[in-house]
Amino acid sequence: MRKKIIAGNWKMNKTVADALALANGIKGELSGCGCCSCSCPEVVVCPPFTALKTVGDALAGSKVQLGCQNMSSEDDGAYTGEISHTMLRELGVQYVILGHSERREYYKETDFWVNKKVKKALEKNLRPIVCVGEKLADREAGNTEKVVEEQVRGSLAGITAEQFENVVVAYEPVWAIGTGKTATSEQAQEVHAFIRGIIRDMVGEKAAQGLRIQYGGSMKASNAKELLAQPDIDGGLIGGAALEVRSFIDIVKAAV
Ligand code: PEP
């Protein structure tokens, strides 16, 4: 049984004060459940770097975990503007989103770089949430599987079956991100099962069955239940709906 995981990607939103209010609101809503073995999903929030310390301090001891949105593939040194694993771990970060489509698109991050970062994260005990997904033109041209397979194999090359225990994959069709268009549960399930099959081929059945694959792309309370009921959908990576306590918590509840 895979434990579901709901992660909020706050992107470049929220001042420190606003981030603190959102984190406290989420923590407050989830404070009733102190267990970790029930059917509650794992909950992660990924604020911007500037708010990690404040949000991390606020969430300490709660069941909400801290994530971030990117990480350098290097350890330290002359890499202006970059943030290292050591700096992130120091702030209590446990998860790191890597290869988000916005980074692939605007900052030209390739599978090669995503793979370097994934390896570094795992080596340094951070859990990567590795994003893959096709663009609208890929889907319309019938290339969804080709594109997704290339990203999965490229971003996760060289990861061992044991390391996969700490990996989360997020399938995020680019055409569904921030657009209000959601993949139907059938479309999403089809790609999730396909991704699991690639992982099976790469590292075997046990690692494939254990791998959690989130769906991301305009997930909200009204569509979350159906998406999360699919056999290969193990959670959600949430953008817009993660920016308000109510809409995020409603998705978390849909995952119970
Ligand atoms: C995302 O950017 O990861 C995302 C899923 O965004 P949204 O929920 O706003 O589509």
Side-chain angles (χ1 to χ4, degrees):
M1 218 10 206
R2 295 180 293 266
K3 192 168 184 68
K4 290 211 167 26
I5 173 165
I6 303 294
N9 174 10
W10 297 0
K11 307 193 184 186
M12 196 172 72
N13 293 293
K14 306 290 177 190
T15 61
V16 173
D18 291 343
L20 179 61
L22 178 54
N24 278 333
I26 292 168
K27 182 173 95 170
E29 286 284 338
L30 297 177
S31 62
C33 177
C35 58
C36 55
S37 58
C38 66
S39 63
C40 296
E42 205 174 329
V43 178
V44 182
V45 296
C46 305
F49 289 123
T50 47
L52 281 175
K53 164 87 177 116
T54 303
V55 170
D57 287 350
L59 295 179
S62 80
K63 69 170 289 192
V64 185
Q65 303 195 69
L66 189 66
C68 66
Q69 303 170 24
N70 189 21
M71 186 197 84
S72 172
S73 57
E74 304 303 322
D75 291 322
D76 52 41
Y79 299 98
T80 301
E82 292 290 286
I83 310 275
S84 76
H85 54 84
T86 312
M87 298 165 182
L88 296 168
R89 290 292 311 275
E90 187 181 29
L91 300 180
V93 169
Q94 287 150 300
Y95 283 91
V96 51
I97 299 172
L98 294 174
H100 190 279
S101 65
E102 288 151 14
R103 296 215 57 87
R104 291 177 185 265
E105 177 75 13
Y106 305 138
Y107 305 102
K108 306 300 169 215
E109 268 189 26
T110 59
D111 292 330
F112 172 83
W113 286 104
V114 177
N115 185 238
K116 270 192 89 150
K117 292 180 181 193
V118 169
K119 285 178 171 161
K120 182 61 72 178
L122 289 167
E123 186 190 309
K124 300 297 175 183
N125 293 322
L126 285 162
R127 297 173 171 204
I129 298 176
V130 185
C131 304
V132 297
E134 81 287 1
K135 294 182 184 167
L136 185 58
D138 301 322
R139 180 162 280 268
E140 287 176 346
N143 287 336
T144 297
E145 292 194 348
K146 179 175 174 288
V147 169
V148 168
E149 178 159 10
E150 203 170 288
Q151 291 180 347
V152 169
R153 288 191 186 273
S155 302
L156 296 168
I159 306 305
T160 65
E162 291 69 37
Q163 286 179 312
F164 261 101
E165 286 172 23
N166 291 315
V167 173
V168 175
V169 169
Y171 168 58
E172 299 206 299
V174 180
W175 49 271
I177 296 180
T179 58
K181 284 187 202 158
T182 318
T184 63
S185 46
E186 293 78 19
Q187 284 172 323
Q189 165 58 26
E190 202 179 358
V191 182
H192 281 235
F194 176 68
I195 292 171
R196 202 175 300 288
I198 301 168
I199 304 303
R200 183 179 301 120
D201 184 55
M202 288 171 73
V203 285
E205 180 66 20
K206 187 163 175 273
Q209 283 309 323
L211 176 71
R212 293 182 296 176
I213 308 176
Q214 296 174 311
Y215 168 80
S218 298
M219 192 186 258
K220 41 190 181 287
S222 57
N223 57 30
K225 201 142 200 114
E226 196 183 325
L227 284 159
L228 294 167
Q230 302 305 309
D232 287 290
I233 300 185
D234 308 308
L237 181 56
I238 322 296
L243 296 176
E244 301 289 338
V245 175
R246 194 66 272 144
S247 48
F248 186 64
I249 291 298
D250 285 348
I251 295 174
V252 172
K253 287 192 174 152
V256 174

